[in-house]
Amino acid sequence: MENLEVVVLAGSSAITGIIGYYLWKEAKYLGHVKDAPRLTIDRNFKAIVDEAPKHTIPYAVVEGSVAALGTPLKSENASGLLGVIQTLICREHKTYWSGSTRLWHDTTRLIRNISHTVPFELRGNKASVKVDDPLSAVGLEIPIVHDSFEPSSTSLGEHIVSWASGEKTKGFQTMERMLSEGTVLTGVGMISTSTGTLMLGPPATSDRLYILGRTGFSGVVRDLQSKLNQLRFMLYVSGSITALLSALWAYRWYKQYCEKVAHEMQVERVLQNRAQDDNEGTNIDQEINEDNTCTICLTNRRDVVLLECGHICTCARCARLLQPPQCPICRQRVKRVVPLFNA
Ligand code: ZN
Ligand code: ZN
């Protein structure tokens, strides 16, 4: 039982530590985003980056509208919509008969999941910056431009077949996500002209996040802040559990310690009284034989009763050393040690 407590306490301490680490990391991310210079994509932009050390600004915020470099992607479902990142998903919805639950269950099966991307840039005022590796950025939620469900029509014959096979198709769901041209994106990352073109990309150090967001700079900050708040709450919960368990543990240890001291003092009194009695000659010495030697030291005579169990199995000296105060025969807790007098 006590081992389990140690395991739980160690586990909750470790979890608290891990959450604390992530909280520290996220707070650092947010701090860097708030401190990052906010630059405007205009005619002066390239000159500013060119003049920076190594033609690089390590971390900055820019905002511009998405424009494909080359031929943009065409939406399959929304006519006339052009974009730069496209995901096409098709799922089959079906029900199957489960023999164990004796019920029909719904499931889906992924039939198609394709992503296409084309290089793109963020356009500002008569200037633009190319976006490097956009899929590695966080915060870029690509909007759904199409989501439809087509129920499959089943004839009577197919109905009977599906009943017999225990599986039937309900229909097909088609979903398309697309980052369309003209979407205003906020990018936070490293800006460099070292390759000749202005480029926004992942920062060089791991304590900064590469972010692309559709809800403006305030949206980027808000998202990071809400993640931070979630982690703070989790830290509060796991920290409280750890503190509670530690307090419980400390209390139990203290109680055990008090019991130990009380037990020692009590047996000490028995020993003192015994010594006094011996001096006064009131205690009659009895022959020591196999039946009355202490079961612990195998030398002294058994001269105390352990209560509540009532076992007579040790000498007073050994009874004092019982830690925790427990009867060596029946393991019951020793509440009191009473001297045994043979008259
Ligand atoms: Zn003994
Ligand atoms: Zn006992």
Side-chain angles (χ1 to χ4, degrees):
M1 198 61 205
E2 279 190 2
N3 278 340
L4 183 74
E5 267 167 33
V6 171
V7 169
V8 171
L9 184 60
S12 81
S13 309
I15 290 167
T16 306
I18 290 166
I19 295 169
Y21 169 72
Y22 277 105
L23 184 66
W24 171 77
K25 223 165 107 173
E26 286 291 331
K28 227 169 163 181
Y29 289 153
L30 181 62
H32 282 306
V33 167
K34 280 181 170 169
D35 290 344
R38 297 178 69 177
L39 305 172
T40 325
I41 305 174
D42 57 16
R43 276 183 190 161
N44 301 325
F45 190 44
K46 192 164 189 296
I48 292 170
V49 182
D50 271 333
E51 278 165 25
K54 291 181 187 168
H55 310 293
T56 299
I57 296 173
Y59 206 49
V61 184
V62 288
E63 203 162 84
S65 60
V66 170
L69 290 163
T71 320
L73 300 163
K74 279 197 185 85
S75 167
E76 272 191 11
N77 301 284
S79 67
L81 191 68
L82 299 173
V84 294
I85 300 175
Q86 181 186 40
T87 315
L88 293 156
I89 292 164
C90 185
R91 279 195 190 93
E92 182 190 10
H93 286 246
K94 47 185 188 174
T95 58
Y96 69 95
W97 176 258
S98 162
S100 55
T101 61
R102 310 205 64 75
L103 286 167
W104 287 91
H105 289 274
D106 287 351
T107 52
T108 59
R109 189 166 68 96
L110 193 68
I111 291 176
R112 184 181 178 210
N113 185 5
I114 315 168
S115 290
H116 299 292
T117 55
V118 291
F120 69 94
E121 58 182 15
L122 295 181
R123 269 192 198 148
N125 185 14
K126 292 185 178 115
S128 61
V129 53
K130 194 184 167 190
V131 179
D132 184 28
D133 198 8
L135 295 179
S136 75
V138 298
L140 186 60
E141 202 196 302
I142 298 165
I144 296 165
V145 294
H146 176 86
D147 189 1
S148 71
F149 183 76
E150 213 171 291
S152 62
S153 52
T154 37
S155 66
L156 185 67
E158 280 171 322
H159 216 78
I160 292 164
V161 170
S162 70
W163 259 104
S165 66
E167 203 176 87
K168 62 183 172 196
T169 302
K170 284 165 83 182
F172 294 91
Q173 185 193 9
T174 321
M175 199 200 255
E176 183 178 358
R177 287 173 181 273
M178 187 175 242
L179 182 64
S180 51
E181 279 198 305
T183 308
V184 175
L185 281 190
T186 305
V188 192
M190 184 173 80
I191 295 161
S192 166
T193 56
S194 58
T195 55
T197 47
L198 253 172
M199 191 96 93
L200 167 72
T205 52
S206 63
D207 59 345
R208 291 170 166 95
L209 280 181
Y210 183 31
I211 305 167
L212 287 173
R214 289 193 294 124
T215 49
F217 182 69
S218 62
V220 168
V221 172
R222 204 190 321 117
D223 286 353
L224 286 173
Q225 190 70 58
S226 80
K227 207 170 170 191
L228 210 60
N229 291 344
Q230 268 174 24
L231 282 169
R232 232 176 239 143
F233 177 73
M234 281 162 72
L235 187 73
Y236 173 76
V237 171
S238 78
S240 303
I241 291 170
T242 309
L244 202 77
L245 283 174
S246 309
L248 206 74
W249 211 41
Y251 169 72
R252 193 159 301 165
W253 181 85
Y254 175 72
K255 221 174 86 177
Q256 244 172 38
Y257 174 76
C258 289
E259 253 174 32
K260 177 189 154 178
V261 171
H263 172 77
E264 274 177 5
M265 275 169 63
Q266 205 249 318
V267 184
E268 196 62 46
R269 265 201 306 277
V270 171
L271 281 166
Q272 275 169 11
N273 287 345
R274 169 73 38 80
Q276 218 170 1
D277 289 350
D278 282 348
N279 285 344
E280 288 165 12
T282 37
N283 198 18
I284 302 152
D285 260 322
Q286 213 190 20
E287 198 189 326
I288 296 174
N289 59 44
E290 233 173 71
D291 294 330
N292 66 8
T293 51
C294 166
T295 56
I296 294 175
C297 63
L298 305 170
T299 323
N300 297 335
R301 192 158 49 82
R302 302 177 191 188
D303 55 5
V304 288
V305 188
L306 305 179
L307 295 180
E308 306 285 329
C309 68
H311 274 126
I312 301 165
C313 51
T314 71
C315 67
R317 259 170 249 285
C318 291
R320 196 179 64 150
L321 301 175
L322 290 174
Q323 276 322 327
Q326 228 173 32
C327 170
I329 304 293
C330 67
R331 304 259 142 227
Q332 203 175 316
R333 202 148 202 82
V334 175
K335 289 198 177 147
R336 229 155 75 81
V337 177
V338 175
L340 183 68
F341 295 106
N342 293 301

PDB file of all heavy atoms in Angstrom, residues 14 18 48 62 75 78 81 90 154 213 241 310 333:
ATOM      1  N   ALA A  14       6.402  13.937 -11.317  1.00  0.00           N
ATOM      2  CA  ALA A  14       6.973  13.933 -12.671  1.00  0.00           C
ATOM      3  C   ALA A  14       6.051  14.673 -13.633  1.00  0.00           C
ATOM      4  O   ALA A  14       6.516  15.496 -14.429  1.00  0.00           O
ATOM      5  CB  ALA A  14       7.187  12.498 -13.134  1.00  0.00           C
ATOM      6  N   ILE A  18       6.811  17.969 -15.880  1.00  0.00           N
ATOM      7  CA  ILE A  18       6.680  18.015 -17.345  1.00  0.00           C
ATOM      8  C   ILE A  18       5.779  19.184 -17.753  1.00  0.00           C
ATOM      9  O   ILE A  18       6.121  19.955 -18.654  1.00  0.00           O
ATOM     10  CB  ILE A  18       6.134  16.668 -17.886  1.00  0.00           C
ATOM     11  CG1 ILE A  18       7.198  15.577 -17.735  1.00  0.00           C
ATOM     12  CG2 ILE A  18       5.727  16.805 -19.356  1.00  0.00           C
ATOM     13  CD1 ILE A  18       6.682  14.170 -17.903  1.00  0.00           C
ATOM     14  N   ILE A  48      15.596  46.932 -45.711  1.00  0.00           N
ATOM     15  CA  ILE A  48      15.741  46.757 -44.253  1.00  0.00           C
ATOM     16  C   ILE A  48      16.373  45.394 -43.954  1.00  0.00           C
ATOM     17  O   ILE A  48      17.297  45.277 -43.161  1.00  0.00           O
ATOM     18  CB  ILE A  48      14.366  46.888 -43.545  1.00  0.00           C
ATOM     19  CG1 ILE A  48      13.863  48.334 -43.644  1.00  0.00           C
ATOM     20  CG2 ILE A  48      14.451  46.445 -42.088  1.00  0.00           C
ATOM     21  CD1 ILE A  48      12.422  48.524 -43.206  1.00  0.00           C
ATOM     22  N   VAL A  62       5.071  39.642 -40.029  1.00  0.00           N
ATOM     23  CA  VAL A  62       4.658  40.323 -41.266  1.00  0.00           C
ATOM     24  C   VAL A  62       3.220  39.918 -41.586  1.00  0.00           C
ATOM     25  O   VAL A  62       2.716  38.906 -41.098  1.00  0.00           O
ATOM     26  CB  VAL A  62       5.563  39.964 -42.474  1.00  0.00           C
ATOM     27  CG1 VAL A  62       6.921  40.596 -42.346  1.00  0.00           C
ATOM     28  CG2 VAL A  62       5.661  38.464 -42.680  1.00  0.00           C
ATOM     29  N   SER A  75      -9.966  24.642 -57.094  1.00  0.00           N
ATOM     30  CA  SER A  75     -10.840  23.872 -56.214  1.00  0.00           C
ATOM     31  C   SER A  75     -11.648  22.869 -57.033  1.00  0.00           C
ATOM     32  O   SER A  75     -12.099  23.170 -58.128  1.00  0.00           O
ATOM     33  CB  SER A  75     -11.778  24.813 -55.474  1.00  0.00           C
ATOM     34  OG  SER A  75     -12.801  24.079 -54.851  1.00  0.00           O
ATOM     35  N   ALA A  78     -15.620  24.031 -55.252  1.00  0.00           N
ATOM     36  CA  ALA A  78     -16.081  25.418 -55.315  1.00  0.00           C
ATOM     37  C   ALA A  78     -15.578  26.025 -56.617  1.00  0.00           C
ATOM     38  O   ALA A  78     -14.366  26.206 -56.778  1.00  0.00           O
ATOM     39  CB  ALA A  78     -15.555  26.192 -54.114  1.00  0.00           C
ATOM     40  N   LEU A  81     -12.669  28.984 -57.460  1.00  0.00           N
ATOM     41  CA  LEU A  81     -11.815  29.250 -56.297  1.00  0.00           C
ATOM     42  C   LEU A  81     -10.399  28.747 -56.566  1.00  0.00           C
ATOM     43  O   LEU A  81     -10.193  27.596 -56.947  1.00  0.00           O
ATOM     44  CB  LEU A  81     -12.400  28.574 -55.054  1.00  0.00           C
ATOM     45  CG  LEU A  81     -11.776  28.979 -53.723  1.00  0.00           C
ATOM     46  CD1 LEU A  81     -12.106  30.420 -53.378  1.00  0.00           C
ATOM     47  CD2 LEU A  81     -12.249  28.059 -52.610  1.00  0.00           C
ATOM     48  N   CYS A  90     -12.034  11.971 -48.694  1.00  0.00           N
ATOM     49  CA  CYS A  90     -13.287  11.260 -48.961  1.00  0.00           C
ATOM     50  C   CYS A  90     -13.403  10.112 -47.967  1.00  0.00           C
ATOM     51  O   CYS A  90     -12.458   9.345 -47.767  1.00  0.00           O
ATOM     52  CB  CYS A  90     -13.305  10.741 -50.393  1.00  0.00           C
ATOM     53  SG  CYS A  90     -14.896   9.992 -50.789  1.00  0.00           S
ATOM     54  N   THR A 154     -29.793   2.334 -52.314  1.00  0.00           N
ATOM     55  CA  THR A 154     -29.715   0.873 -52.372  1.00  0.00           C
ATOM     56  C   THR A 154     -31.027   0.304 -52.894  1.00  0.00           C
ATOM     57  O   THR A 154     -32.117   0.701 -52.462  1.00  0.00           O
ATOM     58  CB  THR A 154     -29.430   0.279 -50.975  1.00  0.00           C
ATOM     59  OG1 THR A 154     -30.121   1.059 -50.013  1.00  0.00           O
ATOM     60  CG2 THR A 154     -27.960   0.267 -50.667  1.00  0.00           C
ATOM     61  N   GLY A 213      -0.940  32.490 -39.345  1.00  0.00           N
ATOM     62  CA  GLY A 213      -2.309  32.538 -38.810  1.00  0.00           C
ATOM     63  C   GLY A 213      -3.227  33.373 -39.677  1.00  0.00           C
ATOM     64  O   GLY A 213      -2.777  34.290 -40.371  1.00  0.00           O
ATOM     65  N   ILE A 241      -2.416  18.210  -6.421  1.00  0.00           N
ATOM     66  CA  ILE A 241      -2.434  16.781  -6.091  1.00  0.00           C
ATOM     67  C   ILE A 241      -1.102  16.380  -5.456  1.00  0.00           C
ATOM     68  O   ILE A 241      -1.077  15.710  -4.426  1.00  0.00           O
ATOM     69  CB  ILE A 241      -2.731  15.933  -7.353  1.00  0.00           C
ATOM     70  CG1 ILE A 241      -4.180  16.158  -7.795  1.00  0.00           C
ATOM     71  CG2 ILE A 241      -2.478  14.442  -7.094  1.00  0.00           C
ATOM     72  CD1 ILE A 241      -4.521  15.579  -9.150  1.00  0.00           C
ATOM     73  N   GLY A 310      -2.083  -9.968  23.192  1.00  0.00           N
ATOM     74  CA  GLY A 310      -1.878 -10.787  24.375  1.00  0.00           C
ATOM     75  C   GLY A 310      -0.782 -11.829  24.248  1.00  0.00           C
ATOM     76  O   GLY A 310      -0.634 -12.684  25.126  1.00  0.00           O
ATOM     77  N   ARG A 333      -0.765  -4.615  15.770  1.00  0.00           N
ATOM     78  CA  ARG A 333      -0.115  -3.440  16.307  1.00  0.00           C
ATOM     79  C   ARG A 333      -0.027  -3.553  17.843  1.00  0.00           C
ATOM     80  O   ARG A 333      -1.001  -3.921  18.490  1.00  0.00           O
ATOM     81  CB  ARG A 333      -0.935  -2.210  15.923  1.00  0.00           C
ATOM     82  CG  ARG A 333      -0.135  -0.958  15.959  1.00  0.00           C
ATOM     83  CD  ARG A 333      -0.625   0.044  14.915  1.00  0.00           C
ATOM     84  NE  ARG A 333       0.439   0.983  14.618  1.00  0.00           N
ATOM     85  CZ  ARG A 333       1.430   0.755  13.773  1.00  0.00           C
ATOM     86  NH1 ARG A 333       1.479  -0.386  13.124  1.00  0.00           N
ATOM     87  NH2 ARG A 333       2.366   1.652  13.559  1.00  0.00           N
TER      88      ARG A 333
END
